[in-house]
Amino acid sequence: MSTTVEEALLGRRSCRAFRPDPVPRAQVERILDLAARSASNSNSQPWQVHVLTGAAKRALSADLLCAYDEGRRAAGEFAYQPGADQWLEPFRTRRRRFGEGLYRDALGLGPEDTEGRRDHHRRNYEFFGAPVGMILTVSKLPLQGALVDAGLFLQALMLAARGAGLHTCAQASLLDFHPVLRRHVRIPDDHVVVCGIALGYADEEHRLSTHRTTREPVSAFATFYDSADTKTRVTA
């Protein structure tokens, strides 16, 4: 359990193996209540969250797995990330490094093991065994700003979950099957799906429990300016 923001940030990870232990509804509501404290443009709060547990989550997962196995991917409602072959550097390299770290190093699945990799990918649609599955949506109307607001809400949700001793995994993979999601939850017509979220207790016995991704150092993405002449005087 995390007691400070720093501990929550350092302890947060994309958990891909959960225990089936149920999470009390009151605890889920508390996490959502805390996440709702997130900043949003003009306090518009454009997000909605659809929470599935029990039979409702099992029914959605079964439908998602069927759609995945039959190759029924749908065109995106909107494009907020490039296709798999459209990432530019340095993001292409980082994405490839992530995939190698997950499939090859953590799971022991080489590039030739297409069946093993497919089996692991299928687990996305079961929310990696988590007892709680969520679908995060935002309004289309202020879409660009709403996506920023959704990111703030999502981060707050994940940190609040760590504060409660829980783990999460944000799942963009569900975007490919947004028509399936709409059959199971009441997503308003003026909303688009941002991602799915798995929530629960991490399975610390699973081989993925020790898997961690790296982060770029501050020097790689931050530039400090200490003079009015910002074009020539920079503090590295």
Side-chain angles (χ1 to χ4, degrees), residues 122-186:
R122 286 180 92 253
R123 298 182 64 245
N124 273 280
Y125 308 110
E126 298 175 310
F127 296 91
F128 298 109
V132 181
M134 301 183 185
I135 309 299
L136 174 62
T137 73
V138 291
S139 172
K140 295 178 184 178
L141 304 179
L143 181 56
Q144 299 298 327
L147 289 175
V148 174
D149 298 338
L152 293 170
F153 179 89
L154 180 61
Q155 178 76 316
L157 187 156
M158 293 188 289
L159 296 181
R162 286 305 303 131
L166 297 163
H167 275 282
T168 56
C169 185
Q171 300 173 268
S173 57
L174 271 62
L175 292 173
D176 293 336
F177 302 100
H178 58 87
V180 176
L181 303 179
R182 289 185 180 276
R183 288 201 297 271
H184 286 262
V185 298
R186 293 187 295 274

Side-chain angles (χ1 to χ4, degrees), residues 204-233:
E204 301 296 353
E205 301 301 317
H206 196 281
R207 65 188 302 170
L208 285 175
S209 65
T210 59
H211 177 61
R212 299 292 185 275
T213 52
T214 60
R215 293 294 184 272
E216 295 297 309
V218 172
S219 59
F221 61 81
T223 303
F224 295 84
Y225 303 87
D226 60 5
S227 169
D229 186 6
T230 57
K231 292 184 179 180
T232 59
R233 299 194 61 185

Side-chain angles (χ1 to χ4, degrees), residues 25-47:
R25 176 168 172 167
Q27 192 169 37
V28 176
E29 290 182 348
R30 177 56 178 163
I31 289 170
L32 293 173
D33 188 46
L34 290 171
R37 302 304 304 170
S38 300
S40 61
N41 190 348
S42 301
N43 199 33
S44 57
Q45 304 173 71
W47 49 72

Side-chain angles (χ1 to χ4, degrees), residues 179-202:
V180 176
L181 303 179
R182 289 185 180 276
R183 288 201 297 271
H184 286 262
V185 298
R186 293 187 295 274
I187 300 174
D189 291 340
D190 67 329
H191 271 233
V192 292
V193 177
V194 177
C195 66
I197 308 162
L199 172 73
Y201 298 96

